[in-house]
Short mmCIF file of all heavy atoms in Angstrom, two decimals:
data_model
loop_
_atom_site.label_atom_id
_atom_site.label_comp_id
_atom_site.label_asym_id
_atom_site.label_seq_id
_atom_site.Cartn_x
_atom_site.Cartn_y
_atom_site.Cartn_z
N THR A 105 7.77 1.84 -0.75
CA THR A 105 8.29 2.62 -1.87
C THR A 105 9.28 1.82 -2.71
O THR A 105 9.45 2.12 -3.89
CB THR A 105 8.96 3.90 -1.35
OG1 THR A 105 9.99 3.54 -0.42
CG2 THR A 105 7.95 4.79 -0.65
N ASP A 106 9.92 0.82 -2.16
CA ASP A 106 10.88 0.01 -2.92
C ASP A 106 10.20 -0.79 -4.03
O ASP A 106 10.87 -1.25 -4.96
CB ASP A 106 11.62 -0.95 -2.00
CG ASP A 106 12.63 -0.23 -1.12
OD1 ASP A 106 12.92 0.95 -1.43
OD2 ASP A 106 13.11 -0.83 -0.15
N GLU A 107 8.90 -0.97 -3.93
CA GLU A 107 8.19 -1.76 -4.93
C GLU A 107 7.65 -0.93 -6.09
O GLU A 107 7.09 -1.47 -7.04
CB GLU A 107 7.04 -2.52 -4.27
CG GLU A 107 7.51 -3.54 -3.22
CD GLU A 107 6.38 -4.38 -2.70
OE1 GLU A 107 5.24 -4.18 -3.13
OE2 GLU A 107 6.65 -5.25 -1.84
N ILE A 108 7.84 0.39 -6.03
CA ILE A 108 7.34 1.25 -7.09
C ILE A 108 8.18 1.07 -8.35
O ILE A 108 9.41 1.16 -8.30
CB ILE A 108 7.36 2.73 -6.66
CG1 ILE A 108 6.44 2.95 -5.47
CG2 ILE A 108 6.94 3.62 -7.83
CD1 ILE A 108 6.54 4.34 -4.89
N ASN A 109 7.54 0.81 -9.47
CA ASN A 109 8.24 0.71 -10.74
C ASN A 109 8.20 2.00 -11.56
O ASN A 109 9.14 2.32 -12.27
CB ASN A 109 7.65 -0.43 -11.58
CG ASN A 109 7.85 -1.78 -10.94
OD1 ASN A 109 6.95 -2.61 -10.89
ND2 ASN A 109 9.04 -2.03 -10.41
N TYR A 110 7.08 2.69 -11.47
CA TYR A 110 6.92 3.93 -12.24
C TYR A 110 6.24 4.99 -11.38
O TYR A 110 5.32 4.68 -10.62
CB TYR A 110 6.08 3.70 -13.51
CG TYR A 110 6.67 2.66 -14.44
CD1 TYR A 110 6.28 1.34 -14.35
CD2 TYR A 110 7.63 3.01 -15.39
CE1 TYR A 110 6.82 0.38 -15.17
CE2 TYR A 110 8.17 2.06 -16.23
CZ TYR A 110 7.76 0.74 -16.11
OH TYR A 110 8.32 -0.21 -16.93
N MET A 111 6.71 6.20 -11.54
CA MET A 111 6.05 7.38 -10.97
C MET A 111 5.62 8.28 -12.13
O MET A 111 6.32 8.39 -13.14
CB MET A 111 7.00 8.16 -10.07
CG MET A 111 7.31 7.49 -8.75
SD MET A 111 5.91 7.39 -7.64
CE MET A 111 5.46 9.12 -7.46
N GLY A 112 4.49 8.93 -11.93
CA GLY A 112 4.01 9.84 -12.97
C GLY A 112 3.41 11.09 -12.38
O GLY A 112 2.98 11.10 -11.22
N TRP A 113 3.44 12.14 -13.16
CA TRP A 113 2.73 13.39 -12.85
C TRP A 113 1.66 13.59 -13.92
O TRP A 113 1.94 13.42 -15.12
CB TRP A 113 3.67 14.57 -12.83
CG TRP A 113 4.49 14.68 -11.58
CD1 TRP A 113 5.76 14.24 -11.39
CD2 TRP A 113 4.09 15.31 -10.35
NE1 TRP A 113 6.17 14.55 -10.10
CE2 TRP A 113 5.17 15.20 -9.46
CE3 TRP A 113 2.93 15.95 -9.93
CZ2 TRP A 113 5.13 15.71 -8.15
CZ3 TRP A 113 2.88 16.45 -8.64
CH2 TRP A 113 3.96 16.33 -7.77
N PHE A 114 0.48 13.97 -13.48
CA PHE A 114 -0.64 14.16 -14.37
C PHE A 114 -1.31 15.49 -14.06
O PHE A 114 -1.16 16.02 -12.96
CB PHE A 114 -1.65 13.01 -14.19
CG PHE A 114 -1.08 11.67 -14.53
CD1 PHE A 114 -0.31 10.98 -13.61
CD2 PHE A 114 -1.28 11.11 -15.77
CE1 PHE A 114 0.26 9.75 -13.92
CE2 PHE A 114 -0.72 9.88 -16.10
CZ PHE A 114 0.05 9.22 -15.17
N ARG A 115 -2.06 15.98 -15.01
CA ARG A 115 -2.82 17.20 -14.75
C ARG A 115 -4.20 17.06 -15.38
O ARG A 115 -4.40 16.32 -16.33
CB ARG A 115 -2.10 18.43 -15.30
CG ARG A 115 -2.06 18.53 -16.82
CD ARG A 115 -1.24 19.72 -17.24
NE ARG A 115 -1.12 19.82 -18.70
CZ ARG A 115 -0.23 20.57 -19.31
NH1 ARG A 115 0.62 21.32 -18.61
NH2 ARG A 115 -0.19 20.62 -20.63
N GLN A 116 -5.12 17.81 -14.80
CA GLN A 116 -6.49 17.82 -15.33
C GLN A 116 -7.03 19.24 -15.25
O GLN A 116 -7.11 19.82 -14.16
CB GLN A 116 -7.38 16.86 -14.55
CG GLN A 116 -8.74 16.69 -15.17
CD GLN A 116 -9.46 15.47 -14.62
OE1 GLN A 116 -9.14 14.96 -13.55
NE2 GLN A 116 -10.45 14.97 -15.37
N ALA A 117 -7.37 19.78 -16.41
CA ALA A 117 -7.98 21.10 -16.49
C ALA A 117 -9.49 20.92 -16.49
O ALA A 117 -10.00 19.86 -16.86
CB ALA A 117 -7.52 21.81 -17.76
N PRO A 118 -10.23 21.94 -16.08
CA PRO A 118 -11.70 21.83 -16.05
C PRO A 118 -12.25 21.45 -17.42
O PRO A 118 -11.89 22.05 -18.44
CB PRO A 118 -12.13 23.24 -15.65
CG PRO A 118 -10.98 23.79 -14.88
CD PRO A 118 -9.76 23.21 -15.54
N GLY A 119 -13.10 20.44 -17.43
CA GLY A 119 -13.72 20.01 -18.68
C GLY A 119 -12.85 19.16 -19.58
O GLY A 119 -13.25 18.81 -20.68
N LYS A 120 -11.65 18.84 -19.12
CA LYS A 120 -10.72 18.04 -19.94
C LYS A 120 -10.37 16.75 -19.23
O LYS A 120 -10.51 16.62 -18.02
CB LYS A 120 -9.46 18.85 -20.26
CG LYS A 120 -9.70 20.06 -21.14
CD LYS A 120 -8.39 20.67 -21.59
CE LYS A 120 -8.63 21.83 -22.55
NZ LYS A 120 -7.34 22.42 -23.02
N GLU A 121 -9.88 15.80 -20.01
CA GLU A 121 -9.44 14.54 -19.43
C GLU A 121 -8.09 14.71 -18.74
O GLU A 121 -7.31 15.59 -19.07
CB GLU A 121 -9.33 13.48 -20.53
CG GLU A 121 -10.67 13.09 -21.14
CD GLU A 121 -10.55 11.95 -22.11
OE1 GLU A 121 -9.41 11.53 -22.41
OE2 GLU A 121 -11.59 11.47 -22.58
N ARG A 122 -7.86 13.82 -17.80
CA ARG A 122 -6.57 13.82 -17.13
C ARG A 122 -5.49 13.38 -18.11
O ARG A 122 -5.68 12.41 -18.86
CB ARG A 122 -6.60 12.88 -15.94
CG ARG A 122 -5.42 12.97 -15.01
CD ARG A 122 -5.66 12.20 -13.73
NE ARG A 122 -6.78 12.77 -12.98
CZ ARG A 122 -7.10 12.39 -11.74
NH1 ARG A 122 -6.39 11.46 -11.13
NH2 ARG A 122 -8.13 12.91 -11.13
N GLU A 123 -4.36 14.08 -18.14
CA GLU A 123 -3.28 13.75 -19.06
C GLU A 123 -1.95 13.65 -18.33
O GLU A 123 -1.70 14.36 -17.36
CB GLU A 123 -3.17 14.82 -20.16
CG GLU A 123 -2.82 16.21 -19.65
CD GLU A 123 -2.52 17.21 -20.76
OE1 GLU A 123 -2.22 16.78 -21.89
OE2 GLU A 123 -2.58 18.42 -20.48
N GLY A 124 -1.10 12.77 -18.83
CA GLY A 124 0.22 12.61 -18.27
C GLY A 124 1.15 13.70 -18.75
O GLY A 124 1.17 14.03 -19.94
N VAL A 125 1.93 14.28 -17.83
CA VAL A 125 2.90 15.30 -18.20
C VAL A 125 4.34 14.87 -17.92
O VAL A 125 5.29 15.51 -18.40
CB VAL A 125 2.62 16.65 -17.51
CG1 VAL A 125 1.29 17.22 -17.96
CG2 VAL A 125 2.65 16.50 -15.99
N ALA A 126 4.53 13.82 -17.15
CA ALA A 126 5.88 13.30 -16.90
C ALA A 126 5.76 11.92 -16.28
O ALA A 126 4.84 11.66 -15.50
CB ALA A 126 6.65 14.22 -15.96
N ALA A 127 6.68 11.05 -16.63
CA ALA A 127 6.71 9.72 -16.03
C ALA A 127 8.14 9.23 -16.02
O ALA A 127 8.97 9.65 -16.84
CB ALA A 127 5.81 8.76 -16.80
N ILE A 128 8.42 8.33 -15.07
CA ILE A 128 9.78 7.85 -14.91
C ILE A 128 9.79 6.41 -14.45
O ILE A 128 8.94 5.97 -13.66
CB ILE A 128 10.54 8.75 -13.90
CG1 ILE A 128 12.02 8.38 -13.84
CG2 ILE A 128 9.91 8.67 -12.51
CD1 ILE A 128 12.86 9.41 -13.10
N SER A 129 10.75 5.66 -14.97
CA SER A 129 11.02 4.33 -14.46
C SER A 129 11.93 4.48 -13.26
O SER A 129 13.03 5.01 -13.38
CB SER A 129 11.71 3.49 -15.54
OG SER A 129 12.35 2.36 -14.97
N THR A 130 11.48 4.05 -12.09
CA THR A 130 12.25 4.29 -10.88
C THR A 130 13.53 3.46 -10.83
O THR A 130 14.48 3.83 -10.16
CB THR A 130 11.41 3.98 -9.64
OG1 THR A 130 11.00 2.61 -9.68
CG2 THR A 130 10.18 4.87 -9.58
N ALA A 131 13.56 2.33 -11.53
CA ALA A 131 14.75 1.49 -11.52
C ALA A 131 15.81 2.00 -12.49
O ALA A 131 17.00 2.05 -12.17
CB ALA A 131 14.37 0.06 -11.88
N ARG A 132 15.38 2.38 -13.70
CA ARG A 132 16.35 2.79 -14.72
C ARG A 132 16.47 4.30 -14.83
O ARG A 132 17.37 4.80 -15.51
CB ARG A 132 15.91 2.22 -16.08
CG ARG A 132 15.94 0.69 -16.13
CD ARG A 132 15.39 0.21 -17.47
NE ARG A 132 13.96 0.47 -17.61
CZ ARG A 132 13.36 0.78 -18.75
NH1 ARG A 132 14.07 0.90 -19.86
NH2 ARG A 132 12.06 0.99 -18.79
N TYR A 133 15.58 5.02 -14.15
CA TYR A 133 15.58 6.49 -14.18
C TYR A 133 15.45 7.00 -15.60
O TYR A 133 16.07 8.00 -15.98
CB TYR A 133 16.80 7.08 -13.50
CG TYR A 133 16.41 8.13 -12.48
CD1 TYR A 133 15.93 7.77 -11.23
CD2 TYR A 133 16.51 9.49 -12.78
CE1 TYR A 133 15.53 8.72 -10.31
CE2 TYR A 133 16.13 10.45 -11.86
CZ TYR A 133 15.65 10.06 -10.62
OH TYR A 133 15.26 11.00 -9.69
N VAL A 134 14.64 6.32 -16.39
CA VAL A 134 14.34 6.78 -17.74
C VAL A 134 13.03 7.55 -17.68
O VAL A 134 12.08 7.12 -17.02
CB VAL A 134 14.21 5.58 -18.70
CG1 VAL A 134 13.80 6.06 -20.09
CG2 VAL A 134 15.52 4.82 -18.77
N THR A 135 12.98 8.68 -18.37
CA THR A 135 11.82 9.56 -18.29
C THR A 135 11.12 9.69 -19.64
O THR A 135 11.70 9.37 -20.69
CB THR A 135 12.23 10.96 -17.82
OG1 THR A 135 13.18 11.50 -18.75
CG2 THR A 135 12.85 10.91 -16.44
N ASP A 136 9.91 10.18 -19.59
CA ASP A 136 9.17 10.49 -20.81
C ASP A 136 8.25 11.66 -20.52
O ASP A 136 7.73 11.80 -19.40
CB ASP A 136 8.36 9.30 -21.31
CG ASP A 136 7.93 9.48 -22.76
OD1 ASP A 136 8.50 10.35 -23.46
OD2 ASP A 136 7.02 8.76 -23.22
N TYR A 137 8.07 12.50 -21.55
CA TYR A 137 7.22 13.67 -21.45
C TYR A 137 6.44 13.82 -22.75
O TYR A 137 6.97 13.52 -23.83
CB TYR A 137 8.05 14.94 -21.25
CG TYR A 137 9.02 14.89 -20.09
CD1 TYR A 137 10.30 14.37 -20.25
CD2 TYR A 137 8.65 15.36 -18.83
CE1 TYR A 137 11.19 14.32 -19.19
CE2 TYR A 137 9.54 15.31 -17.77
CZ TYR A 137 10.81 14.79 -17.95
OH TYR A 137 11.68 14.74 -16.90
N PRO A 138 5.23 14.33 -22.70
CA PRO A 138 4.55 14.63 -23.96
C PRO A 138 5.18 15.87 -24.60
O PRO A 138 5.86 16.66 -23.92
CB PRO A 138 3.11 14.90 -23.51
CG PRO A 138 3.24 15.40 -22.10
CD PRO A 138 4.42 14.66 -21.53
N ASP A 139 4.93 16.05 -25.88
CA ASP A 139 5.51 17.18 -26.60
C ASP A 139 5.11 18.52 -25.98
O ASP A 139 5.88 19.49 -26.04
CB ASP A 139 5.07 17.15 -28.06
CG ASP A 139 5.70 16.00 -28.83
OD1 ASP A 139 6.70 15.42 -28.33
OD2 ASP A 139 5.19 15.65 -29.91
N SER A 140 3.92 18.58 -25.40
CA SER A 140 3.41 19.85 -24.87
C SER A 140 4.26 20.40 -23.72
O SER A 140 4.22 21.61 -23.45
CB SER A 140 1.97 19.68 -24.39
OG SER A 140 1.88 18.66 -23.40
N VAL A 141 5.01 19.55 -23.05
CA VAL A 141 5.81 20.03 -21.91
C VAL A 141 7.29 19.69 -22.04
O VAL A 141 8.10 20.10 -21.21
CB VAL A 141 5.29 19.45 -20.57
CG1 VAL A 141 3.80 19.73 -20.41
CG2 VAL A 141 5.59 17.98 -20.43
N SER A 142 7.65 18.93 -23.06
CA SER A 142 9.05 18.51 -23.23
C SER A 142 9.96 19.72 -23.30
O SER A 142 9.69 20.68 -24.02
CB SER A 142 9.17 17.67 -24.49
OG SER A 142 10.49 17.22 -24.66
N GLY A 143 11.03 19.67 -22.53
CA GLY A 143 11.96 20.79 -22.48
C GLY A 143 11.62 21.83 -21.43
O GLY A 143 12.44 22.70 -21.12
N ARG A 144 10.40 21.75 -20.89
CA ARG A 144 9.99 22.72 -19.86
C ARG A 144 9.76 22.04 -18.51
O ARG A 144 9.92 22.67 -17.46
CB ARG A 144 8.68 23.42 -20.27
CG ARG A 144 8.78 24.20 -21.56
CD ARG A 144 7.53 25.05 -21.78
NE ARG A 144 6.32 24.25 -21.92
CZ ARG A 144 5.28 24.32 -21.09
NH1 ARG A 144 5.31 25.14 -20.06
NH2 ARG A 144 4.20 23.56 -21.31
N PHE A 145 9.36 20.78 -18.50
CA PHE A 145 9.08 20.05 -17.26
C PHE A 145 10.18 19.02 -17.01
O PHE A 145 10.75 18.47 -17.95
CB PHE A 145 7.74 19.34 -17.36
CG PHE A 145 6.53 20.23 -17.28
CD1 PHE A 145 6.61 21.60 -17.46
CD2 PHE A 145 5.28 19.68 -17.00
CE1 PHE A 145 5.49 22.41 -17.39
CE2 PHE A 145 4.15 20.47 -16.91
CZ PHE A 145 4.27 21.84 -17.12
#
Side-chain angles (χ1 to χ4, degrees):
T105 57
D106 287 346
E107 297 187 359
I108 297 173
N109 296 136
Y110 301 93
M111 288 292 302
W113 282 96
F114 298 81
R115 70 184 177 196
Q116 188 164 21
K120 294 189 177 181
E121 293 186 354
R122 191 169 297 189
E123 63 172 341
V125 296
I128 187 168
S129 162
T130 60
R132 296 176 292 145
Y133 231 78
V134 176
T135 59
D136 197 16
Y137 307 87
D139 291 343
S140 58
V141 307
S142 182
R144 300 189 298 118
F145 287 16

